[in-house]
Amino acid sequence: MRISRLTPWAAGLAAAALFAVPAAASAGQQRAAAPLAASADSYYTSAEGKTGAALKTALHQIIRNQSKVSYDGVWNALKATDQDPANPNNVILLYSGRSQSKSTNGGGSNDWNREHVWAKSHGDFGTATGPGTDLHHLRPEDVTVNSTRGNKDFDKGGSPVAEAPGSLTDSDSFEPRNAVKGDVARMLLYMAVRYEGGDGFANLELNDQVSNGSAPAHGRISVLKQWHQQDPPDAFEQRRNQVIFDSYQHNRNPFIDHPEWVASIW
């Protein structure tokens, strides 16, 4: 069965199209973007009708075909993917929710830097081109808040995080603010499908624990699934997915386009 243009997925793409894709979004790009109009209905064709492990495998084969962005190129990419819809000179910080000038990226205490939502130590991929530079899980964040999150797994509870209203943390976990709980979940779900051990990197998987350390695992999957249901994809997240597809990596996060596939796989 083909994907109808009247599905929520197609409606989301239409909403995303209301935001202009920056013409200069080219840092780290390795090939020209495929026109969405020509490929939207066919992108997931090989996954249609599948469930469970077969669906996960089919989605991996689809999304593994991507262009790569250099780690330096991530700076400019995030200025496009996470642009504040109300102020084109700013980006929205993931956990903080703060709108901040694009020009304040760096290492200072009030700057923003590149947050690896799938902590780069979980699988020991660092900033290597591949999972270390994959825009589908890299987001701008306040330097101090990024440090507070560190490489913790995601779970509920803890103490309030300074400069990140609504976020909580304890010794082994981090809970983001409500408005991005689903975003965090879908970024990790993407990583668990995209990286299956065939690119010279570890096979990344989700589990239901914290303190995963350097293991190629992230948790808690039970909580992430709750967050995915609680906070469905919004226009900002859909636009972000579209910008990455059109101007940078030319692959998509399937769980933004098809939220129902999460329950089918996990």
Side-chain angles (χ1 to χ4, degrees):
M1 178 178 175
R2 303 247 337 144
I3 299 171
S4 169
R5 292 185 182 274
L6 299 179
T7 60
W9 171 68
L13 294 182
L18 295 176
F19 296 88
V21 177
S26 60
Q29 184 176 335
Q30 293 185 349
R31 69 173 176 83
L36 180 63
S39 60
D41 284 345
S42 61
Y43 187 73
Y44 295 112
T45 296
S46 62
E48 292 174 15
K50 293 181 172 63
T51 60
L55 175 59
K56 186 183 181 193
T57 297
L59 292 177
H60 169 72
Q61 292 299 326
I62 293 168
I63 67 178
R64 68 187 292 270
N65 296 311
Q66 69 177 96
S67 298
K68 304 289 176 57
V69 179
S70 70
Y71 197 50
D72 283 341
V74 168
W75 287 118
N76 283 335
L78 293 182
K79 293 175 184 179
T81 60
D82 290 73
Q83 179 174 294
D84 182 349
N87 184 346
N89 296 313
N90 287 10
V91 291
I92 301 292
L93 307 188
L94 177 63
Y95 308 130
S96 305
R98 187 169 73 236
S99 178
Q100 183 157 324
S101 172
K102 292 178 177 179
S103 66
T104 59
N105 62 291
S109 60
N110 290 315
D111 290 340
W112 63 267
N113 62 3
R114 297 160 291 188
E115 156 71 344
H116 290 78
V117 178
W118 185 293
K120 56 183 180 289
S121 64
H122 290 223
D124 195 29
F125 52 75
T127 59
T129 301
T133 68
D134 196 312
L135 295 172
H136 282 294
H137 85 116
L138 283 162
R139 301 291 291 266
E141 186 48 71
D142 176 87
V143 168
T144 303
V145 175
N146 194 342
S147 178
T148 298
R149 188 268 159 136
N151 71 342
K152 295 173 183 175
D153 290 273
F154 292 97
D155 200 0
K156 298 177 181 178
S159 303
V161 178
E163 297 190 75
S167 296
L168 304 171
T169 193
D170 57 23
S171 62
D172 58 16
S173 70
F174 191 91
E175 177 178 354
R177 60 192 176 99
N178 287 340
V180 296
K181 278 182 164 66
D183 304 53
V184 166
R186 285 180 286 276
M187 285 185 276
L188 296 185
L189 293 161
Y190 162 88
M191 292 291 282
V193 172
R194 169 60 186 88
Y195 297 97
E196 295 279 39
D199 304 277
F201 299 104
N203 179 14
L204 305 183
E205 295 293 345
L206 294 165
N207 62 21
D208 209 31
Q209 64 188 55
V210 294
S211 299
N212 278 298
S214 62
H218 232 299
R220 296 182 181 266
I221 180 59
S222 59
V223 173
L224 295 171
K225 288 172 65 178
Q226 291 174 23
W227 291 351
H228 168 66
Q229 292 292 330
Q230 173 185 330
D231 173 38
D234 60 15
F236 185 92
E237 192 177 359
Q238 290 164 340
R239 174 196 176 273
R240 189 175 198 279
N241 197 26
Q242 193 64 43
V243 173
I244 293 171
F245 179 76
D246 284 341
S247 301
Y248 294 100
Q249 295 183 182
H250 315 300
N251 71 341
R252 307 185 67 84
N253 183 331
F255 306 112
I256 296 173
D257 295 329
H258 282 277
E260 72 278 8
W261 281 343
V262 174
S264 182
I265 295 174
W266 287 279

